[in-house]
Amino acid sequence: MFISSRGNEYFCEIDEDYLTDRFNLTGLNTDVQYYQYSLDMVTDVFDLDCDDEMRDQIEKSARHLYGLVHARYITTTRGLAKMLEKYKKGDFGKCPRVDCKSGHLLPTGMADIPNVQFVKLYCAKCEDLYNPKSSRHSTIDGAYFGSSFQNILFQVYPALVPEKSIARYEPKIFGFKVHAAAALQRWQDKRREEMQGRLKIAGLENPFSLPAESADGDMEEDDDDGEGFDGEGMEIGDDAVAQ
């Protein structure tokens, strides 16, 4: 029932024997409300007579429980094989990057803890992450897939690791490549602006210059001290000037 629901296309079906093995569910009873009722609902043995509000709460907890078990199951041999089939068929979508030539994506989480990040899609060609296109998928908890799944998959099936995409977009004007010096200048200007912004936040907009009044005052004092002395540091009198 859970897999057939709209918006759950990223999930694979968990084997019943895996769900009924208590060892595989270790620790989940503290993370899921109405744990036993939720497990009964996931395994299709739920027969509690309750009101609609209570049933909605149990169904919500059952979906959460299934997601947490799913993150563990897809790292097993059987789970990896099922997710591999979905990956080959492109069930998770294709990379939007042009140079990846529609490479298939894999769902992944940014964290293994629930309610931290929504699911992302990983491209093995450009090794980057993307948001799901559909709003039905963009709100799935990333913890239901975990942060290690895609790496384990390619460790187990190394032949499926695609060739890395090294092609890069080259900016051109009327068919001519933009000069490298111009690109470097833009990069330097951007870094200079970032540095000035950080200095401004720290209250050090121009830490290497002296205040103007202080510098002028020092010059005037130096001029006053220098009057009345010759090159050897001797005082010059009126008679010496007359000569």
Side-chain angles (χ1 to χ4, degrees), residues 60-114:
K60 183 178 180 181
S61 296
R63 288 193 295 269
H64 183 54
L65 175 61
Y66 191 94
L68 295 177
V69 178
H70 183 268
R72 298 181 178 185
Y73 178 72
I74 59 177
T75 59
T76 65
T77 303
R78 181 63 179 158
L80 286 170
K82 289 185 177 183
M83 293 297 280
L84 177 61
E85 290 302 316
K86 296 175 72 68
Y87 169 69
K88 288 181 177 180
K89 292 187 295 184
D91 289 352
F92 309 119
K94 299 177 180 179
C95 183
R97 186 172 178 271
V98 175
D99 288 325
C100 286
K101 303 185 187 306
S102 300
H104 291 179
L105 300 170
L106 281 169
T108 185
M110 301 290 288
D112 297 314
I113 303 173

Side-chain angles (χ1 to χ4, degrees), residues 33-225:
Q33 190 179 19
Y34 306 118
Y35 171 76
Q36 190 57 53
Y37 292 145
S38 300
L39 182 59
D40 291 344
M41 183 170 287
V42 170
T43 54
D44 291 331
V45 296
F46 181 77
D47 59 355
L48 178 67
D49 185 13
C50 58
D51 56 31
D52 292 341
E53 183 178 355
M54 179 69 172
R55 187 177 182 87
D56 289 342
Q57 290 293 328
I58 295 176
E59 287 181 354
K60 183 178 180 181
S61 296
R63 288 193 295 269
H64 183 54
L65 175 61
Y66 191 94
L68 295 177
V69 178
H70 183 268
R72 298 181 178 185
Y73 178 72
I74 59 177
T75 59
T76 65
T77 303
R78 181 63 179 158
L80 286 170
K82 289 185 177 183
M83 293 297 280
L84 177 61
E85 290 302 316
K86 296 175 72 68
Y87 169 69
K88 288 181 177 180
K89 292 187 295 184
D91 289 352
F92 309 119
K94 299 177 180 179
C95 183
R97 186 172 178 271
V98 175
D99 288 325
C100 286
K101 303 185 187 306
S102 300
H104 291 179
L105 300 170
L106 281 169
T108 185
M110 301 290 288
D112 297 314
I113 303 173
N115 304 317
V116 174
Q117 275 274 12
F118 294 126
V119 67
K120 305 298 179 185
L121 296 173
Y122 171 75
C123 175
K125 278 195 171 184
C126 61
E127 297 184 326
D128 211 343
L129 298 176
Y130 301 92
N131 290 317
K133 289 184 177 180
S134 174
S135 58
R136 300 193 306 271
H137 301 143
S138 60
T139 56
I140 299 175
D141 198 320
Y144 296 165
F145 300 90
S147 59
S148 304
F149 157 65
Q150 75 280 4
N151 300 317
I152 295 175
L153 181 73
F154 289 122
Q155 286 285 334
V156 176
Y157 302 101
L160 293 177
V161 178
E163 184 179 353
K164 304 305 178 186
S165 175
I166 60 175
R168 293 293 182 269
Y169 169 73
E170 294 182 348
K172 296 181 180 180
I173 298 177
F174 300 120
F176 297 96
K177 295 181 181 179
V178 176
H179 198 279
L184 177 61
Q185 182 64 41
R186 289 196 301 271
W187 181 85
Q188 291 175 334
D189 291 342
K190 183 179 180 180
R191 293 297 177 269
R192 185 181 298 108
E193 291 175 1
E194 292 176 355
M195 177 61 74
Q196 289 174 346
R198 290 196 294 268
L199 290 173
K200 186 175 183 180
I201 293 174
L204 301 170
E205 295 188 36
N206 197 352
F208 302 109
S209 65
L210 294 173
E213 295 181 359
S214 176
D216 294 342
D218 293 342
M219 291 293 293
E220 292 176 359
E221 291 177 3
D222 292 342
D223 292 342
D224 294 340
D225 294 341

Side-chain angles (χ1 to χ4, degrees), residues 18-35:
Y18 188 90
L19 282 169
T20 54
D21 188 341
R22 297 290 178 175
F23 177 78
N24 300 324
L25 310 178
T26 302
L28 297 182
N29 59 323
T30 59
D31 296 331
V32 180
Q33 190 179 19
Y34 306 118
Y35 171 76

